[in-house]
Amino acid sequence: MIWYPYEQMKTMKPPYKVIDAKGIYLYTKDNKMIDSVSSWWSNIYGYKNEKLNEAIINQVNKFSHVMLGGLTHDPVEKLSNKLKEFLPGDLDYPFFSDSGSVSVEVALKMALQFYMNKGEENRTMVLALNHAYHGDTFKTMEVGDDEDYHFVLEAYGKSKYVVHIPTEIPALEKAFEEYGDKLNSFIVEPLLQGAGGMRMYDISFLERARELCDEYKVLLIFDEVATGFGRTGNRFVADLVLPDIICLGKALTGGYIGHAATVANKKVFDAFYDDEPTHALMHGPTFMGNPLACAVSLRAIEIFEEENFMDKIKRIEEIEKEEMEGFSHPKIEEVRVMGGCVCIELKDGKDIEGFQEFAYERGVFARPFLKYIYSMVPYVIKEDELRKVMRTMKEWFENK
Ligand SMILES: Cc1ncc(COP(=O)(O)O)c(C=O)c1O
């Protein structure tokens, strides 16, 4: 029996069986539906994208995988060069891994060892945000803050290595005053907290965080696994406020295959780069720098630039805002829109029950969770298709 994610296997509804996918559509035996969540926010270029298919097929015909330990290859070198040019500032040193969670693990390990290499072994703490989600591996659960996903951690009691704060500047300043000399890093999902409830906050918080990180010599980590590649309406939030380390995943490969990168700036890299063997970063996932993933990621970034994906996301945001303007209902707590993310937060989680089937019947695949009905559409969606997704979300509240 397949063990499905985030499900009580005994009571779960059978999942829809996909037999084909093209553009923004998923096909089942008897339905065609818009993927309104882009396969967990990753497939921004559409399914069966000809250019991405070509890139991966060409690479399959050469070789699918070789390890990166003691070997290297064109796809990983080209992607690394492309990221250097594509990412802001001196975020020039990518460490590749196989998933977003692992990219965050690597970032946190880098931040800890950054200070160990400098002989400051007391900097063992990490500052993180309330409602944070950074993945489901153990350290990412610890910096995360979500009792609905990660209650299993309760068995360990409260962590002495992580402090959580709200996205408010006074709380930020207080945390730095109190813990500044013990922190190695401050990790955030910048501007948009995804799995913690599509919570949106202001850039001024991150600007102040950057100042405080500089003042207290703390590394700023942006987990842009979900926000990267345009989702917030910015290419990267890192274009607005520059972190020391950025984590990329999901849309990095166009949603084609699991892969991720933890990209450090020169300051971080230099703390590892010397004659002392123990200063090396001791990490090495088997599939890091996978040639298929690198080839498809490289092509995806080229498409992002050549086909002006930022224009697409801006247009998506305009339409979403227009559709959601003034929309409210007694059962709704708040409607939020940022870039390519729309979230309707309900007052009571019970009121999302049945929405997935309702959307399915209207040709939209949705995956509401807790008390959130949301969309994160592929950027290749057309205007009428996007309006259909928005209207499906709104129609759910008719007759309620
Ligand atoms: C902000 C953020 N970080 C990390 C992850 C984990 O990525 P993955 O599922 O590829 O391990 C996610 C997944 O949703 C995420 O939203």
Side-chain angles (χ1 to χ4, degrees):
M1 185 190 237
I2 300 168
W3 208 331
Y4 285 94
Y6 307 117
E7 297 284 359
Q8 171 47 262
M9 293 301 298
K10 192 170 176 185
T11 53
M12 77 176 275
K13 290 177 287 196
Y16 303 119
K17 185 161 178 177
V18 174
I19 54 168
D20 199 2
K22 180 154 176 55
I24 61 161
Y25 289 98
L26 302 173
Y27 295 82
T28 59
K29 197 157 65 57
D30 42 28
N31 202 3
K32 169 185 172 186
M33 39 182 183
I34 299 173
D35 182 357
S36 76
V37 292
S38 306
S39 274
W40 265 333
W41 329 339
S42 66
N43 193 304
I44 63 174
Y45 305 95
Y47 297 99
K48 231 184 275 182
N49 179 298
E50 278 173 21
K51 292 174 185 165
L52 295 182
N53 277 14
E54 194 189 358
I56 210 162
I57 290 166
N58 284 345
Q59 186 54 41
V60 162
N61 287 329
K62 291 181 188 150
F63 52 95
S64 296
H65 184 64
V66 294
M67 63 196 257
L68 211 55
L71 300 173
T72 193
H73 48 82
D74 261 352
V76 76
E77 288 180 359
K78 285 187 181 157
L79 177 61
S80 166
N81 290 337
K82 186 71 194 172
L83 284 171
K84 179 175 160 69
E85 172 203 311
F86 191 60
L87 292 173
D90 62 345
L91 291 165
D92 292 344
Y93 302 88
F95 186 96
F96 294 102
S97 60
D98 26 31
S99 73
S101 301
V102 176
S103 77
V104 174
E105 293 280 346
V106 171
L108 295 167
K109 191 167 171 180
M110 267 180 193
L112 180 64
Q113 194 179 341
F114 174 86
Y115 282 103
M116 287 180 77
N117 286 359
K118 288 174 176 292
E120 287 187 56
E121 301 197 351
N122 62 327
R123 288 209 183 238
T124 51
M125 292 183 73
V126 178
L127 187 63
L129 296 178
N130 291 350
H131 308 291
Y133 178 88
H134 296 289
D136 292 337
T137 54
F138 263 79
K139 192 70 189 177
T140 63
M141 288 199 292
E142 196 185 343
V143 292
D145 170 43
D146 204 313
E147 59 206 27
D148 294 298
Y149 295 89
H150 298 147
F151 55 84
V152 68
L153 275 197
E154 281 167 21
Y156 290 123
K158 195 171 158 37
S159 168
K160 58 178 186 179
Y161 297 114
V162 181
V163 179
H164 289 100
I165 54 165
T167 49
E168 292 158 13
I169 291 175
L172 179 69
E173 290 173 341
K174 188 161 170 285
F176 271 88
E177 257 167 48
E178 202 168 339
Y179 304 105
D181 59 342
K182 296 189 193 67
L183 295 173
N184 57 52
S185 56
F186 179 29
I187 184 165
V188 295
E189 294 162 87
L191 293 187
L192 171 64
Q193 297 185 282
M198 307 298 163
R199 291 161 198 268
M200 298 163 189
Y201 61 92
D202 196 73
I203 191 71
S204 56
F205 179 82
L206 296 175
E207 287 163 350
R208 185 72 186 119
R210 181 67 272 178
E211 285 170 3
L212 289 164
C213 282
D214 290 341
E215 191 181 326
Y216 288 86
K217 297 190 174 29
V218 171
L219 297 178
L220 182 58
I221 304 173
F222 278 7
D223 174 354
E224 295 224 43
V225 168
T227 56
F229 300 94
R231 187 56 74 184
T232 65
N234 308 285
R235 260 174 12 122
F236 298 95
V237 183
D239 287 332
L240 307 179
V241 170
L242 195 60
D244 298 293
I245 301 175
I246 186 171
C247 300
L248 306 175
K250 295 192 185 276
L252 172 68
T253 64
Y256 259 56
I257 191 168
H259 216 61
T262 310
V263 190
N265 67 6
K266 186 163 181 342
K267 177 175 78 181
V268 173
F269 183 77
D270 280 353
F272 291 76
Y273 188 78
D274 64 27
D275 295 321
E276 174 51 56
T278 61
H279 286 185
L281 180 64
M282 299 307 281
H283 211 95
T286 304
F287 292 103
M288 71 181 289
N290 172 264
L292 300 179
C294 291
V296 77
S297 299
L298 176 66
R299 194 71 189 103
I301 298 174
E302 287 168 358
I303 296 173
F304 194 93
E305 289 179 313
E306 289 162 13
E307 298 180 15
N308 294 324
F309 265 57
M310 283 314 297
D311 290 350
K312 294 192 202 305
I313 196 77
K314 297 260 184 270
R315 182 71 189 125
I316 286 172
E317 183 174 32
E318 268 170 31
I319 296 167
E320 288 170 346
K321 285 197 164 147
E322 199 184 297
E323 284 283 341
M324 290 297 162
E325 172 83 58
F327 179 63
S328 67
H329 185 276
K331 291 195 185 289
I332 294 177
E333 181 68 36
E334 193 181 36
V335 180
R336 298 187 275 274
V337 181
M338 181 187 276
C341 175
V342 176
C343 176
I344 301 179
E345 178 174 344
L346 288 106
K347 290 186 176 141
D348 187 340
K350 285 203 188 69
D351 290 321
I352 68 165
E353 278 169 26
F355 177 70
Q356 189 173 52
E357 294 75 6
F358 176 85
Y360 179 84
E361 283 158 19
R362 284 154 185 79
V364 174
F365 173 69
R367 170 112 175 149
F369 65 101
L370 303 174
K371 50 183 179 151
Y372 310 103
I373 288 178
Y374 79 98
S375 70
M376 288 217 201
V377 294
Y379 303 171
V380 290
I381 196 165
K382 297 200 188 73
E383 178 165 347
D384 57 331
E385 296 164 328
L386 178 57
R387 290 196 190 277
K388 177 172 166 173
V389 173
M390 296 297 103
R391 285 178 189 160
T392 302
M393 290 165 79
K394 291 192 290 190
E395 273 165 28
W396 173 244
F397 296 91
E398 283 173 13
N399 311 318
K400 286 242 166 238

